[in-house]
Amino acid sequence: MILRQLMGLNTWVRVLIAFISVWVILVLIFYSKLNTGGANDTEDAFRRLNQALSYLEKSKQVDQELRTLIDEYISDTSYNRKQKFVDELGNKLQIQGAGAGHFKGVPSLEYEQLRRRVYSNTQELWNFLNSEVIKAAKIGRKNSPEIAPPLDALLSLASEHKRSLLNDINQMRASDGYEFWRYKESKDLSDLVQRRLNYLQNPEDCSTARKLVCRLNKGCGYGCQLHHVVYCFIMAYATERTLILKSKGWRYHKAGWEEVFQPISDTCLDANGATHASWPGTTETQVLTVPIIDSLNPRPPYLPLAIPADLAPRLMKLHGDPIVWWIGQFLKYLLKPTGETRQMLENGMEKLGFRKPIVGVHVRRTDKVGTEAAFHGIEEYMMAVDDYYNQVEMTEAIDKRRVFIASDDPKVIDEAKAKYPHYEIIGDPDVAKVAAVSTRYTDSSLNGIILDIHLLSLSDYLVCTFSSQVCRVAYEIMQTLYPDASGRFKSLDDIYYYGGQNAHNREVVLAHNPNNHDEIHMRKGDLVGVAGNHWNGYSKGKNSRTSQVGLFPSFKVNDKIEVVDLPKYPKVK
């Protein structure tokens, strides 16, 4: 019956054929494992049999997950199920192929961290080289014009070298035998956190449950308000309290959160309790109310950028930026759309013609430029888009270079279409118009920003300014769609940060002697509070040992992951 239903879905026929092909390959592998080598060597025969059975067992597991995906697709076609089905089914087939070829099991922490460090250091080397050659070429054009063309040729060839190196690193990852583990570990960790949040939000008895009240009244934009709710949720998780979200009168939708997204609890939505107090209260206080993160006092150690100690070893191995993964899990639980919001998202995607491959570009103008962020022309964004597609096309053909542009300035979309006719530019100028400051806090504006963030997070790559919370929210949600999407971005200004976060430190792994008065001295083991990456090979920060503030080579430090003891929720298996 499933086969008959799938055959009626045209596109799914090809997907099913691909699945059957992979299964046939697995059967052949299984057969070859039983028929290779000397038949008289009993011990070797048993070894091959066990290995073949291991492959078969892994294949059966993925096969069951494939059947579950097909059942889910047939029973529920809402909320862009087609795109989600394709993505998840593709992931399962990729896992199955990886497991069939050379499944190694679990990588070491050292291997995963070193692999990611080599990738990031290659990027940093390119940032340095690109910046220095551009500076030299600029001087050359002014003083010695004959120098500029050779420098341009040098930069072009160096760019090819960089793409080749990054491609080699990606190929190493794809063939190292650990892809099955990466996908499975990502799913297992996410499922565990989601079960814990569900347990926390649905106590057996709401009348006696300990609660944490969060008021959705922070005077800021949509992305900032989402981060406010996430901060409250982290506080609730750390104190083992059910989060109660007070959202009536929300500036984006007066009726409240529950008309846009599903309630964050099925069983406990009221703030009633025997005792009430404001933060910090006591452990005996039943109902605790927290202020915005900027006014929180005392400040607990489990605020971002900290991650839970019981998950840290697994998460540090899996992900290149664990805090972004951790924040993404709370957004995954919170942002479950109502039926009306789901329909709006489906209609929006269909109207725009959103499909992959695609790069998401977020251009924030209006109130941000000149206050929190500098102006960046569309050329800067598209340079990063070009670089991404040039990288991808080293290994696969691209039918059309697509870009989705989200902005609060409708002129940006028209400008991109005029300047880059060889790209397929999609975006809705009407959404951009209502994103302007004068009309930002309306229902149409809310729908527009929800759609923008949704599509940005679904993009293959993100080009934006991390000074914008909209961009950071999209990046956080993106982490829930891949085992590790920490490298799927290009920020034109800030590094990733969480508003109101605790200190962001990096540990020095290579000593540095300053080359000029702008740079700081560093010893191996020093902690440097990082202020930002200049994307030219250098970052800025403060050495906690010397109190020096200045520049340092970005490749000489590693992120120091802040780990804190949090509840382990033993009742959640």
Side-chain angles (χ1 to χ4, degrees):
M1 179 179 178
I2 291 176
L3 179 61
R4 191 164 58 248
Q5 288 171 298
L6 283 173
M7 293 298 285
L9 299 174
N10 54 65
T11 304
W12 314 116
V13 176
R14 296 193 296 272
V15 175
L16 187 61
I17 291 172
F19 162 65
I20 293 172
S21 300
V22 171
W23 180 254
V24 170
I25 292 170
L26 283 168
V27 172
L28 292 174
I29 290 173
F30 175 74
Y31 180 82
S32 68
K33 293 295 179 183
L34 291 177
N35 291 276
T36 305
N40 295 326
D41 192 337
T42 306
E43 183 177 341
D44 190 50
F46 273 113
R47 180 184 62 77
R48 292 198 304 274
L49 176 60
N50 286 331
Q51 188 178 15
L53 289 174
S54 175
Y55 286 134
L56 186 58
E57 185 61 33
K58 295 181 184 74
S59 175
K60 285 169 60 181
Q61 177 184 345
V62 179
D63 179 43
Q64 183 57 46
E65 292 173 349
L66 285 166
R67 291 174 183 273
T68 301
L69 281 175
I70 292 171
D71 290 342
E72 288 178 358
Y73 175 80
I74 292 170
S75 63
D76 181 7
T77 59
S78 64
Y79 191 48
N80 194 36
R81 288 295 304 175
K82 292 182 179 179
Q83 180 64 49
K84 185 177 179 182
F85 179 87
V86 169
D87 291 343
E88 293 188 8
L89 185 55
N91 288 343
K92 296 301 178 188
L93 292 173
Q94 183 177 359
I95 294 168
Q96 196 169 32
H102 38 271
F103 180 83
K104 285 186 178 178
V106 180
S108 67
L109 172 64
E110 292 76 15
Y111 171 77
E112 289 294 272
Q113 290 184 331
L114 181 59
R115 177 181 58 78
R116 289 192 290 261
R117 179 171 165 78
V118 171
Y119 192 96
S120 65
N121 281 354
T122 302
Q123 292 275 27
E124 289 295 348
L125 176 61
W126 165 250
N127 290 342
F128 173 73
L129 180 62
N130 183 53
S131 174
E132 293 300 310
V133 173
I134 287 176
K135 284 192 293 186
K138 186 176 181 181
I139 295 172
R141 286 188 179 91
K142 183 177 181 181
N143 302 321
S144 304
E146 71 278 2
I147 295 178
L151 288 177
D152 290 341
L154 169 65
L155 201 57
S156 178
L157 185 59
S159 177
E160 286 189 64
H161 272 293
K162 182 260 298 187
R163 290 196 294 272
S164 178
L165 280 170
L166 294 180
N167 181 62
D168 290 345
I169 297 168
N170 286 331
Q171 292 301 313
M172 181 184 72
R173 167 184 168 153
S175 60
D176 62 13
Y178 298 125
E179 280 298 272
F180 183 90
W181 172 84
R182 292 182 186 113
Y183 278 89
K184 186 175 186 305
E185 181 71 349
S186 173
K187 182 179 185 303
D188 290 348
L189 268 175
S190 179
D191 288 349
L192 174 60
V193 173
Q194 295 302 307
R195 288 195 303 271
R196 287 182 178 182
L197 296 179
N198 186 69
Y199 171 82
L200 180 68
Q201 287 304 108
N202 293 284
E204 293 181 0
D205 186 350
C206 184
S207 64
T208 60
R210 296 195 315 148
K211 304 172 185 178
L212 186 138
V213 176
C214 179
R215 302 186 186 280
L216 192 51
N217 60 357
K218 191 172 183 180
C220 57
Y222 178 76
C224 169
Q225 292 188 14
L226 283 186
H227 280 140
H228 172 59
V229 179
V230 170
Y231 138 73
C232 292
F233 213 167
I234 291 173
M235 296 287 288
Y237 182 97
T239 56
E240 296 184 274
R241 294 174 176 273
T242 300
L243 177 63
I244 306 296
L245 186 59
K246 292 287 188 179
S247 64
K248 296 297 182 184
W250 183 23
R251 68 191 305 184
Y252 274 95
H253 190 78
K254 299 300 182 184
W257 179 276
E258 289 78 13
E259 284 202 359
V260 183
F261 300 105
Q262 295 177 30
I264 61 175
S265 173
D266 297 326
T267 63
C268 193
L269 296 171
D270 68 74
N272 298 331
T275 55
H276 294 252
S278 297
W279 174 264
T282 68
T283 54
E284 288 74 30
T285 304
Q286 185 181 355
V287 183
L288 194 61
T289 300
V290 292
I292 63 174
I293 194 171
D294 313 82
S295 305
L296 191 68
N297 187 36
R299 291 176 63 85
Y302 45 76
L303 293 176
L305 305 165
I307 60 172
D310 68 311
L311 302 180
R314 297 172 65 184
L315 191 47
M316 290 166 67
K317 184 187 296 188
L318 173 71
H319 203 275
D321 201 347
I323 183 59
V324 188
W325 185 95
W326 179 235
I327 299 300
Q329 291 304 306
F330 288 93
L331 289 169
K332 180 178 181 177
Y333 187 91
L334 289 166
L335 301 181
K336 298 171 182 173
T338 61
E340 186 175 343
T341 303
R342 287 178 179 175
Q343 191 62 53
M344 179 273 295
L345 292 174
E346 286 189 0
N347 293 343
M349 292 184 72
E350 184 176 354
K351 175 184 175 183
L352 289 170
F354 184 94
R355 61 193 180 99
K356 295 188 175 186
I358 194 164
V359 173
V361 173
H362 179 245
V363 182
R364 183 68 186 271
R365 296 280 168 83
T366 61
D367 59 318
K368 286 282 183 180
V369 174
T371 55
E372 297 179 40
F375 178 89
H376 295 277
I378 191 63
E379 293 81 6
E380 290 184 69
Y381 293 91
M382 293 304 295
M383 188 180 300
V385 174
D386 275 335
D387 194 46
Y388 169 78
Y389 275 117
N390 289 341
Q391 184 71 51
V392 172
E393 287 184 335
M394 288 198 71
T395 55
E396 59 183 273
I398 300 295
D399 65 327
K400 188 70 175 178
R401 291 190 173 197
R402 296 183 189 86
V403 175
F404 164 67
I405 295 182
S407 181
D408 53 1
D409 181 357
K411 294 191 294 293
V412 169
I413 299 171
D414 293 333
E415 181 186 3
K417 288 181 177 179
K419 290 183 175 179
Y420 299 92
H422 56 293
Y423 272 91
E424 182 180 324
I425 307 287
I426 68 171
D428 192 338
D430 292 335
V431 170
K433 288 176 185 176
V434 296
V437 177
S438 59
T439 53
R440 183 164 296 167
Y441 305 110
T442 61
D443 285 350
S444 57
S445 174
L446 176 61
N447 285 341
I449 194 65
I450 291 174
L451 178 62
D452 278 351
I453 289 176
H454 181 64
L455 299 186
L456 288 169
S457 71
L458 288 178
S459 300
D460 299 300
Y461 191 74
L462 192 56
V463 178
C464 60
T465 51
F466 269 169
S467 57
S468 167
Q469 301 219 46
V470 166
C471 175
R472 300 201 305 275
V473 168
Y475 178 59
E476 290 155 354
I477 297 171
M478 183 183 281
Q479 307 311 309
T480 68
L481 307 177
Y482 303 89
D484 181 2
S486 60
R488 290 178 176 265
F489 80 96
K490 171 62 178 178
S491 171
L492 302 185
D493 55 13
D494 290 338
I495 58 173
Y496 175 83
Y497 66 94
Y498 192 94
Q501 68 188 28
N502 285 337
H504 183 180
N505 291 316
R506 288 183 174 167
E507 185 175 5
V508 177
V509 294
L510 293 170
H512 181 66
N513 293 315
N515 295 310
N516 54 59
H517 68 278
D518 292 326
E519 298 178 16
I520 61 175
H521 182 273
M522 301 190 305
R523 292 179 187 168
K524 186 176 180 179
D526 283 351
L527 286 183
V528 178
V530 63
N533 190 322
H534 289 190
W535 311 115
N536 62 357
Y538 288 89
S539 293
K540 185 176 182 179
K542 179 179 180 179
N543 189 324
S544 60
R545 177 179 59 83
T546 65
S547 296
Q548 277 187 304
V549 177
L551 302 177
F552 59 90
S554 303
F555 75 94
K556 293 192 174 185
V557 299
N558 282 338
D559 252 338
K560 184 180 184 298
I561 308 301
E562 301 297 334
V563 176
V564 294
D565 287 321
L566 290 180
K568 298 179 181 178
Y569 293 90
K571 292 184 179 180
V572 179
K573 303 301 181 183

